[in-house]
Amino acid sequence: MNTVEICAFHDVATSTLTYVVWDVSTRDAVVIDPLVDYDPAQARPSSESVRKVIRFVEAHDLLVHWVMDTHVHADHLTGSLELKKVWPGAQWAMSYSLNEVFAKFQAVYKWPKSLELAKLGVDRWLRDQEELTAGSLVVQAIATPGHTPACMTYRIGQNLFTGDCLMLPDAGVGRCDFPGGSAPQLYDSIWSKLYSLSESYQVFVGHDYSPGGRPMRYQSSIGAQMRSNIHLTNSTSRQDFIRFREARDKTLVPPRLLDQSLDWNLGAHQLVKPLN
């Protein structure tokens, strides 16, 4: 039985968590939700966050097999393609339902028809319950749509990497107002796919905004979520959740880096300046 270690990297500017997950005995590893920095004042991306991950991997002599995004991010730029360039043996995986997200945003942003999803550089389009082998690690992809149609939770052992689907208990769950988002879908994803798991499963979230000014945290458990998630506990009805989520979403403002993130994450460097 492999022993899994997890290192979290927190980006203060976007409150994003990136995870390096590895088997301590074999050094086989995956990277989940890496990011590229973006300075709006200079209007260009930079690579400090990517370099932090690279330095950590090299210092611990890890072999990265996969870089994976939990979904199409609307608040920061993915670093997956950059890491894939650094590690020739690494491949990039995302949800198959990214096709649906791409089509919706291509219509909204009126991107040219020459912009093709196939040019993103993704090596494996994952469907619900598919597994990836990363040396001695096994990663199960669990489709958890709602925040976006292409949200995936990744299970490695008893560790769940939920992206924006399920936040920490005092932060609730992800918004559902982006094109293709769905409060009913999000309820069903969390209730049937995540809350059906053992309460001992550990939850690693995609963001932490330190509500109330508390110190940054990134880890919870299914049991803690079911008992105390401020948006969805195991006693929250589907109707009440949908009513709450849809009303709350109407009050939210767009993410600060929405346009830049979508150009980068769906345009795959076809419409934006190169990384310096």
Side-chain angles (χ1 to χ4, degrees), residues 2 4 30 130-141 154-157:
N2 52 11
V4 172
V30 298
E130 278 194 51
E131 291 187 348
L132 292 179
T133 299
S136 58
L137 291 177
V138 177
V139 183
Q140 181 186 34
Y154 295 117
R155 183 183 71 82
I156 303 175

Side-chain angles (χ1 to χ4, degrees), residues 22-37:
W22 74 99
D23 183 336
V24 297
S25 61
T26 65
R27 324 308 290 177
D28 293 312
V30 298
V31 178
I32 299 172
D33 285 340
L35 72 117
V36 159
D37 306 286

